[in-house]
Amino acid sequence: MRGILASSIGVTCAAALALPLAPPAAASVSSVSSAGTPAPVADVATRTVGTAGARTGARADVPGSTQSLPLRPLTRDRASGAVLGLTPRTVRTFSLLGVVWEDPSVDLHGRVQVRTRAASTGDWTDWQDVETHYTQHGADPDSSEAASGKARGATAPLWVGESDGVEVRVLPEPDAGEPEDVDPVGTGSDEGASGGEGAGEVSTLPAGMRLDLVDPGEAEPGESAGSAEPQAEPGESAGGAEPQAEPGESGGPEPQAEPGESAEGAEGAEGAEGAEPAEGAEVPRTGVMTAAAKAASAANSALVPLGATQIPSLTAEETREELVALRGTGLTEQQQAKPYIGPRPSIVTRRGWGADESLREKSFVYTSKVKAAFVHHTASGNSYSCSQAPSLIRGFYRYHTKSLGWRDIGYNFLVDKCGRIYEGRAGGVAKPVKGAHTMGFNSKTTGIAVIGSYGSKKPSSKAVKAVARLTAWKLGLHGMNPKKKTSLTSGGGNLYAKGKKVKMKVISGHRDGFNTSCPGGKLHKKLGSVRSKAAGYQGR
C-alpha cells in the first residue's frame, strides 16, 4: 500500500538501544554492478575479520556496487515500536547505506535506525538514525529527469565506513510533525522510540522499501586528489576590486551558455586534448579514458586540459582575465568593465574524485544562467576523514544514480570539512549546469552541499570559507551580488506553488526554498557570514 502524501517532517534524536545480537545469517541480496545488471551474491557468512583486509588488493579495480535487501516485517522487535527491518546479518563489504522505496512522491513518516559491523574489527555500532526526508533534493516536478520513470523515494545516505554486517529497524510515526534539525549519528536518546498508537501498521509505510548498501569502489592506485589540504588561495587580499557602479542582478553578463533549458550531447567533446596544462594544475592521469570520461573532462576544457584531476586556483586578476576569455568577443562596454568576481578557488574534478562516468546519463543539461546558490548538507554523518571524502562522493553519486534513479549526482558542487571543493554534476564547473538539489528551484541556480550533518554540529570554518570562495566565483561569473536578493520562479514544491515568483537571497539555504531541515540549523546560521565573505571576495 502506498504511504501517506505529506510535506517533510523532522526526525527525532537518535536512540542507542541495543537489541540482542542474533546469529549473523548469510545475506539474501541482489547486487547492482556499475553496469546496472543484477548478479547473484555468494554466501559470505563465513568470512572472518582476518580476511577482511584481503579484499583491497583483490578488487582495487572494481568500480563499486550496490546490494539491495528488501525490508521484512519484524516480530521480535515490538518493544521498540519497529515493525519493518532486517535482523542482523553478514553482507558483502559496503561503506554507505540508505533505504529506498518505489514512489518518490510518498514520504516516510517514521524513523529508520541502523547499526553496522566494522569490517576491520568485527565490532557493532550503536543504533544510528538515518535522515528520512531526502527526496526534496530531487529534480523539479514535471522536469524530464523527474518524469523519467526511474526516480524513487529514499532516505538520505548514511556513511558508516567499511562494514560487513547490518541490522535495520523502521518505526512508524503516525503523527506528522514539523521539520527539525537532526544529526543522524546516534546520541543516546530514546525519545520517540515507541512510535505511539498504531505504530505497528506496516501499511502506513511506503511500498517496496529496501535497504541499499553501497560500495563506492576503489580509487585508482596512487590517487591523491581530494586527500590533501586545500591549496593556499592566491590573491586572498586581492579580491577587492576598485569601486565601480553596481552591475545589479541583471547587469552581469552571462558566459557563452546554452539558451533556455538545453541538453548538450556529451560524446565527441574532446576540444581540450593537447592543450598546455594550466599553471599549478595536477598532471592529468594517464591511461585510456572512455568516451563518457572524455566528455565530462572536456566540459572543463576552457579551464584545464583533458584528464586533469584538479582545476587550480587563480588570483583575482587571473580570474578576471579568464572571465573575459569565457565571455568571448562582441562584448558591450558594460560587459567589458572590470567585473565583480571572486578569485577562482581550486576544484577537484570528477576525474579527481574517481567518478565512474558510465553511471550517469550521457548528455548534459543546462539552465540559462545562475542567479542564486542553494547551500545544503548531505545529512550523511560527520564520522569521515578528509582523505575519505572522494569515497563519500563516489557513494553519493552511485546512490543518486542507481538507487534514486537520477541522471547524475544531484549537487553541482560538494565541500568537505577540510574546505576542499569538488565538482559535482557533470557539464563544466564554469557552465550553468542544471542540478537536482532543491526541488522547485533547480533552474537558474547552483547547488552546493557541505559533506556532513549540521543540525546539531557546527560546520568547520574551512568549509564555510570554501563555500564563500566558491559562491564569490560562481555567482560572479553571472554578475550576481551575494548580499542581494533575486527573483526566482518556483517549479513546484511544498512552500511555493509552481509558477510563483519568489524573492530569494542570492545565497540561500535549502530550507528557504523547501520545507525541510536542510542544510541543518548550524550551517544555515553561517550563511550570513558566507554572504559577507563572498561579497568581500568579489570586491564589494
Side-chain angles (χ1 to χ4, degrees):
M1 182 181 296
R2 297 291 185 194
I4 303 171
L5 292 172
S7 62
S8 297
I9 61 173
V11 184
T12 54
C13 296
L17 298 175
L19 296 181
L21 178 60
S28 176
V29 190
S30 67
S31 176
V32 181
S33 70
S34 59
T37 54
V41 176
D43 186 342
V44 293
T46 57
R47 188 170 65 81
T48 64
V49 173
T51 63
R55 63 182 285 275
T56 302
R59 52 174 295 281
D61 59 344
V62 175
S65 62
T66 300
Q67 304 172 70
S68 293
L69 297 85
L71 299 187
R72 305 296 188 190
L74 296 176
T75 56
R76 68 172 182 81
D77 210 8
R78 295 291 180 172
S80 71
V83 299
L84 205 64
L86 292 172
T87 54
R89 64 197 58 215
T90 294
V91 293
R92 285 214 314 267
T93 308
F94 68 98
S95 296
L96 182 140
L97 60 81
V99 171
V100 181
W101 54 91
E102 294 174 2
D103 190 343
S105 67
V106 174
D107 289 326
L108 169 58
H109 299 293
R111 303 174 69 187
V112 174
Q113 296 180 315
V114 300
R115 61 181 191 138
T116 55
R117 185 176 65 199
S120 59
T121 65
D123 295 332
W124 286 82
T125 66
D126 292 331
W127 287 103
Q128 302 180 81
D129 270 319
V130 181
E131 171 58 66
T132 56
H133 300 285
Y134 193 68
T135 52
Q136 62 266 29
H137 291 76
D140 293 344
D142 300 330
S143 68
S144 58
E145 185 168 0
S148 67
K150 301 177 183 178
R152 289 176 283 274
T155 68
L158 179 65
W159 176 261
V160 295
E162 196 169 81
S163 305
D164 62 3
V166 68
E167 182 177 9
V168 183
R169 62 188 188 190
V170 180
L171 301 81
E173 290 178 353
D175 297 324
E178 294 299 317
E180 59 184 87
D181 292 327
V182 176
D183 187 327
V185 179
T187 60
S189 170
D190 189 32
E191 183 180 354
S194 65
E197 184 179 355
E201 296 296 327
V202 177
S203 62
T204 65
L205 298 171
M209 293 182 70
R210 70 177 196 246
L211 176 70
D212 275 13
L213 305 174
V214 178
D215 172 7
E218 298 294 326
E220 285 191 8
E223 178 181 312
S224 60
S227 62
E229 287 290 323
Q231 298 173 6
E233 306 292 350
E236 176 153 347
S237 60
E242 296 178 6
Q244 303 176 43
E246 285 282 325
E249 287 187 1
S250 61
E254 300 176 17
Q256 302 298 310
E258 297 73 4
E261 306 293 340
S262 58
E264 177 181 290
E267 302 302 330
E270 302 178 23
E273 193 161 14
E276 287 294 320
E279 184 177 352
E282 291 190 9
V283 177
R285 287 182 183 163
T286 58
V288 177
M289 293 176 66
T290 64
K294 287 180 180 179
S297 183
N300 292 312
S301 62
L303 311 181
V304 286
L306 192 72
T309 58
Q310 181 174 326
I311 298 168
S313 58
L314 298 180
T315 65
E317 184 58 36
E318 289 170 337
T319 302
R320 287 190 286 267
E321 292 173 356
E322 178 183 74
L323 178 57
V324 171
L326 289 172
R327 287 170 174 171
T329 59
L331 302 181
T332 65
E333 184 175 343
Q334 183 183 17
Q335 290 172 330
Q336 291 172 0
K338 197 172 185 179
Y340 289 105
I341 184 170
R344 188 184 74 191
S346 59
I347 302 171
V348 177
T349 66
R350 289 172 64 91
R351 187 154 175 82
W353 55 259
D356 177 358
E357 299 295 352
S358 69
L359 299 181
R360 63 170 175 83
E361 296 290 334
K362 290 184 178 180
S363 63
F364 308 136
V365 177
Y366 297 93
T367 186
S368 58
K369 68 174 298 182
V370 175
K371 298 176 67 177
F374 281 99
V375 178
H376 306 257
H377 68 168
T378 57
S380 52
N382 302 305
S383 59
Y384 72 93
S385 66
C386 293
S387 63
Q388 291 176 316
S391 292
L392 268 78
I393 297 171
R394 291 196 298 273
F396 301 151
Y397 175 43
R398 176 171 286 277
Y399 188 64
H400 286 183
T401 55
K402 290 302 178 185
S403 297
L404 277 67
W406 298 353
R407 62 177 295 114
D408 195 347
I409 191 170
Y411 308 115
N412 297 102
F413 298 93
L414 298 100
V415 176
D416 68 25
K417 58 188 175 184
C418 287
R420 180 160 293 242
I421 301 167
Y422 302 83
E423 177 184 15
R425 182 162 286 206
V429 297
K431 297 180 181 181
V433 178
K434 187 176 183 180
H437 49 83
T438 306
M439 185 180 289
F441 292 102
N442 290 307
S443 291
K444 300 182 180 180
T445 67
T446 193
I448 302 167
V450 181
I451 301 173
S453 301
Y454 299 104
S456 60
K457 182 179 177 60
K458 292 181 180 179
S460 69
S461 59
K462 290 182 178 180
V464 172
K465 181 179 178 181
V467 174
R469 284 195 171 281
L470 176 58
T471 51
W473 172 72
K474 183 68 176 180
L475 294 170
L477 290 172
H478 299 268
M480 301 306 296
N481 186 338
K483 295 188 294 185
K484 299 290 186 177
K485 289 186 176 182
T486 189
S487 178
L488 298 173
T489 302
S490 173
N494 63 5
L495 279 183
Y496 302 105
K498 183 178 180 180
K500 183 175 178 60
K501 293 187 181 299
V502 183
K503 275 287 186 182
M504 199 81 69
K505 291 180 178 178
V506 169
I507 299 178
S508 290
H510 186 184
R511 63 175 61 180
D512 298 317
F514 201 98
N515 185 23
T516 175
S517 64
C518 184
K522 298 293 186 181
L523 178 54
H524 196 265
K525 288 178 180 178
K526 293 291 185 180
L527 295 188
S529 175
V530 169
R531 295 181 191 107
S532 60
K533 286 179 182 294
Y537 290 138
Q538 286 189 349
R540 297 182 187 272

